[in-house]
């Protein structure tokens, strides 16, 4: 049974930083792409960042490029999202997802396992 457990969310002031972690179990983590999506109240889930199986390829949403960094540690079965220069519009529940394949897609359909999410709130 695949499990993805996010941690690291919280309340931060605008301009601050947070680091999210997602620990995976139940599947060969090192084979699959991983990603982060987010969903704000009343909005659809949107792509944030993704990383290939090896970490050699990354994709970012335009809204976070240059501020967020996705990385992974295959020895620890963990993917990270370093979020800097946070803005109030980054407020959302952040979800970790494991891909169907090795490459970092940007659509929800590219991923077949999801975590429960972690809340990130950025105050102005």
């Amino acid at each position: 049974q695949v499990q993805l457990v996010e941690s690291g969310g919280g309340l931060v002031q605008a301009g601050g930083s947070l680091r999210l972690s997602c620990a995976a179990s139940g599947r060969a983590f090192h084979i699959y792409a991983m990603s982060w999506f987010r969903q704000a109240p009343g909005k659809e889930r949107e792509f944030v960042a993704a990383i290939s199986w090896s970490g050699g390829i990354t994709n970012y949403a335009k809204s976070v490029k240059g501020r967020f960094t996705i990385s992974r540690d295959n020895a620890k079965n963990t993917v990270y999202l370093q979020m800097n220069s946070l803005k109030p519009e980054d407020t959302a529940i952040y979800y970790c997802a494991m891909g169907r394949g090795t490459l970092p897609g940007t659509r929800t359909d590219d991923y077949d396992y999801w975590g429960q999410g972690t809340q990130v709130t950025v105050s102005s």
Side-chain angles (χ1 to χ4, degrees):
Q1 182 179 359
V2 176
Q3 283 194 316
L4 302 175
V5 180
E6 302 98 335
S7 61
L11 174 63
V12 64
Q13 289 188 335
S17 298
L18 282 174
R19 188 194 196 202
L20 306 184
S21 299
C22 171
S25 62
R27 203 185 196 191
F29 176 83
H30 63 281
I31 294 176
Y32 298 99
M34 297 294 296
S35 70
W36 291 93
F37 285 73
R38 67 187 182 187
Q39 188 165 17
K43 295 188 177 181
E44 293 189 352
R45 192 168 297 190
E46 66 172 1
F47 170 75
V48 175
I51 189 166
S52 64
W53 67 278
S54 66
I57 303 171
T58 55
N59 278 328
Y60 294 94
K62 289 181 181 179
S63 59
V64 307
K65 199 166 189 177
R67 300 188 297 122
F68 291 10
T69 302
I70 188 170
S71 61
R72 66 189 295 160
D73 185 338
N74 286 346
K76 295 183 178 180
N77 288 357
T78 301
V79 63
Y80 305 97
L81 185 68
Q82 178 67 45
M83 305 187 294
N84 298 329
S85 302
L86 282 161
K87 305 175 181 179
E89 51 263 43
D90 293 319
T91 295
I93 298 174
Y94 283 70
Y95 297 91
C96 166
M98 180 176 280
R100 300 181 187 277
T102 61
L103 297 179
T106 62
R107 305 172 305 159
T108 55
D109 285 349
D110 293 327
Y111 299 88
D112 51 5
Y113 293 101
W114 296 82
Q116 293 299 307
T118 185
Q119 177 71 48
V120 171
T121 303
V122 184
S123 63
S124 57

